[in-house]
Amino acid sequence: MLADLRNAPRNQIVLLHACAHNPTGIDPTNEQWQQIADVIQERGHFPFFDCAYQGFATGDVDNDAYAIRLFVSRGMETLVAESFAKNMGLYGERTGCLHAVTASADTIPAVSSQLNRLSRATISTASAYGAKIAGTVLQDKELYNEWVADMGEMSRRIKKMRELLRDKLVAMKTPGSWEHVAKQIGMFSFTGLSTKQVQVLRDQYHLYMTDDGRISVAGLNSNNIDYVAKAIDQVVRSVN
């Protein structure tokens, strides 16, 4: 990744996942983020952050904002597309916001006018219902603290499901290594299953995931984890 950033032409827009990388579930360490920031700054690239899972990666909204705050602390201009669809359960509302960090206050009117122009041309007027819910939660101390606690609980549950799926596959001696399932973070797991194996899981076991083998760990629970593990085991053994 660092080599690609160095070899890219100068002044490119670089899309980065702030946390809980989708689909891999593998995030850079804090030290690696610093290296990424070094190269992006050296090459004059513009960082554009996709922040769709804040709070679901580590269970801590501040930890999950580390990369964004690192870049901003270095005086870098950036855009952050933030979604509350997952961490507030507002899937149907698709609620989010776009944060623009500029190097100078003089730039704000120009940025604001362009964003208003683009918004008007694409969606005219955004839905207010989800935004009002998010705004209420974020501005009410009691609701905010409850929301943060809930995300911590959800993050721990997802981590537990990862470890449980790994343990069951290891116990059945399913071919291959499954440590990556437990080491990844966030809502999704990049299982490493092939497209053929995914198709069999869909057709024969009614387990649905993307063609590249990405599964939603959030969809696992104590009632279906055995079925999922056994289906993966059987398909890995029978489908090359």
Side-chain angles (χ1 to χ4, degrees):
M1 179 180 180
L2 293 176
D4 287 340
L5 290 172
R6 289 193 182 96
N7 294 330
R10 291 184 60 84
N11 304 318
Q12 298 299 300
I13 298 174
V14 179
L15 180 62
L16 300 164
H17 278 200
C19 62
H21 184 271
N22 179 9
T24 65
I26 301 174
D27 285 358
T29 64
N30 289 355
E31 292 73 21
Q32 289 171 334
W33 272 123
Q34 292 170 20
Q35 293 177 325
I36 293 169
D38 287 340
V39 177
I40 286 180
Q41 200 161 23
E42 290 169 5
R43 298 294 295 165
H45 297 325
F46 183 90
F48 191 139
F49 283 97
D50 176 0
C51 185
Y53 309 101
Q54 187 178 3
F56 272 150
T58 64
D60 186 307
V61 292
D62 291 315
N63 285 342
D64 291 351
Y66 173 82
I68 296 171
R69 292 174 180 174
L70 170 67
F71 279 66
V72 172
S73 71
R74 292 185 172 204
M76 301 173 69
E77 293 187 313
T78 184
L79 290 175
V80 181
E82 183 165 18
S83 170
F84 297 108
K86 283 82 173 176
N87 58 16
M88 284 193 180
L90 296 171
Y91 279 87
E93 300 300 322
R94 308 303 290 178
T95 301
C97 57
L98 181 67
H99 307 277
V101 180
T102 65
S104 169
D106 296 336
T107 312
I108 294 175
V111 173
S112 179
S113 67
Q114 289 299 309
L115 292 178
N116 285 332
R117 180 173 175 271
L118 290 170
S119 177
R120 184 66 177 171
T122 54
I123 60 175
S124 184
T125 302
S127 173
Y129 181 66
K132 289 180 178 178
I133 293 175
T136 299
V137 171
L138 293 174
Q139 295 177 80
D140 183 287
K141 185 176 181 179
E142 184 177 349
L143 291 175
Y144 177 82
N145 289 336
E146 182 179 349
W147 173 62
V148 169
D150 286 345
M151 278 197 295
E153 182 178 348
M154 281 299 299
S155 177
R156 290 189 292 273
R157 193 195 77 80
I158 291 173
K159 186 175 185 294
K160 180 180 178 181
M161 289 298 107
R162 286 183 177 280
E163 294 171 348
L164 193 56
L165 179 59
R166 185 272 315 273
D167 291 345
K168 289 184 178 296
L169 291 172
V170 170
M172 290 187 290
K173 294 182 171 54
T174 306
S177 173
W178 299 98
E179 284 301 317
H180 61 282
V181 174
K183 289 181 179 179
Q184 295 165 357
I185 61 176
M187 291 179 62
F188 303 105
S189 174
F190 200 55
T191 61
L193 295 170
S194 69
T195 301
K196 287 184 178 180
Q197 291 168 336
V198 169
Q199 191 62 53
V200 173
L201 284 170
R202 287 180 192 160
D203 295 342
Q204 296 186 18
Y205 299 93
H206 305 290
L207 294 180
Y208 301 97
M209 62 191 74
T210 56
D211 289 340
D212 58 8
R214 187 203 72 171
I215 65 171
S216 173
V217 183
L220 298 176
N221 57 58
S222 57
N223 293 322
N224 63 23
I225 189 74
D226 285 327
Y227 179 83
V228 172
K230 290 176 181 177
I232 291 176
D233 176 74
Q234 292 175 20
V235 168
V236 168
R237 294 179 186 278
S238 62
V239 180
N240 295 321

